[in-house]
Amino acid sequence: KGILFIPSLYTVTRGVAEAMKHALGHLDDLYNTQLFKVILLKNNMPDGVLSLILEGLKARPELCSLQSTLNEIGPSSARQLCTLIERGCEDPEAPRDEALPRISELKLINNRCDLVSMDKIMGSIMRSTTLRRLSLQKMNLSDRQLKRLFVFIKETSIQELDISWNKVPPRHLP
C-alpha cells in the first residue's frame, strides 16, 4: 500500500516509462491511492527512461522515500531528481505550499552517474531541509563531494547516512 516497487525482472522501456509518467499523475483518479515510497531496483534504466519516471513522481505530493539501484543517472534524470529533492527547500519568507513533496529518505545505490550529475545532486542534497535518511552507497563519490557531504551532515538533521562502498580516504573520517 503506497509503495511502487519495480524489481529487476521488469525491463522498463521508454514507452513503459512514458505510460508510468502519465499514470503517476492520475493515481488518485485511477486507484484512489497515495504513493509514499518508490523503489527502482536493478532495472538498468538509461538516463532518459529514469528521467521520465522521476518527472512523473513530481505529481505525487505525498512521496517521501525514493530508491534507485543500478540505473543510470545522467543530466536528464539528475535534473528531475534535484527537483524532487529541492521541493523540501523553501524560502522562509515564501508561503508554504503543502502540495509539494517532501523527500525525507533518498537511497542512491550503485547507479552509473557522471561527475557533473552527481555534483548537481549533491548541491540539491546540501539545500534540502527535509532529508533525514541518506544513502549514497557505491556511488563513486569524489573527494570534493565527500568533503561537502561531511560539512552538510554536521549542520543538518540527517539521522542516518550510509556511504558504504565508496572510497573514503581516512583523512575524511571523523
Side-chain angles (χ1 to χ4, degrees):
K1 187 175 181 178
I3 297 175
L4 173 61
F5 177 55
I6 305 175
S8 60
L9 55 119
Y10 294 103
T11 300
V12 181
T13 63
R14 184 167 197 81
V16 169
E18 287 276 3
M20 287 178 68
K21 173 186 161 187
H22 180 73
L24 285 167
H26 299 284
L27 280 180
D28 298 331
D29 303 334
L30 298 171
Y31 302 106
N32 193 24
T33 191
Q34 293 187 319
L35 184 62
F36 297 103
K37 185 173 193 169
V38 173
I39 302 169
L40 306 170
L41 186 63
K42 300 179 183 177
N43 307 104
N44 202 27
M45 281 186 264
D47 179 48
V49 171
L50 179 60
S51 175
L52 289 168
I53 294 172
L54 294 174
E55 186 177 349
L57 291 174
K58 291 191 291 188
R60 306 306 327 152
E62 68 281 6
L63 181 68
C64 58
S65 178
L66 177 61
Q67 175 180 332
S68 173
T69 303
L70 284 171
N71 292 299
E72 179 185 12
I73 301 174
S76 296
S77 52
R79 186 173 42 257
Q80 298 299 335
L81 187 56
C82 288
T83 300
L84 287 170
I85 295 168
E86 290 188 43
R87 288 277 176 96
C89 312
E90 66 238 11
D91 178 351
E93 304 299 316
R96 185 175 169 96
D97 185 348
E98 294 298 330
L100 296 177
R102 303 287 190 252
I103 300 293
S104 61
E105 179 179 53
L106 177 63
K107 293 182 177 184
L108 302 178
I109 303 167
N110 199 18
N111 292 282
R112 296 176 312 282
C113 188
D114 62 82
L115 185 62
V116 173
S117 295
M118 193 65 215
D119 274 345
K120 196 174 281 194
I121 293 166
M122 290 296 288
S124 292
I125 289 170
M126 300 300 123
R127 289 185 290 278
S128 174
T129 58
T130 60
L131 268 175
R132 299 296 173 257
R133 288 176 297 286
L134 176 62
S135 178
L136 299 171
Q137 297 174 44
K138 202 171 185 181
M139 290 296 294
N140 297 316
L141 298 176
S142 70
D143 245 19
R144 188 171 52 82
Q145 291 165 343
L146 285 167
K147 286 177 188 173
R148 288 178 71 192
L149 187 59
F150 290 136
V151 167
F152 171 69
I153 61 173
K154 289 178 184 176
E155 299 171 355
T156 189
S157 55
I158 289 281
Q159 297 166 349
E160 296 175 24
L161 174 67
D162 186 346
I163 54 168
S164 59
W165 296 99
N166 284 289
K167 295 176 183 164
V168 181
R171 66 182 176 275
H172 291 311
L173 298 174

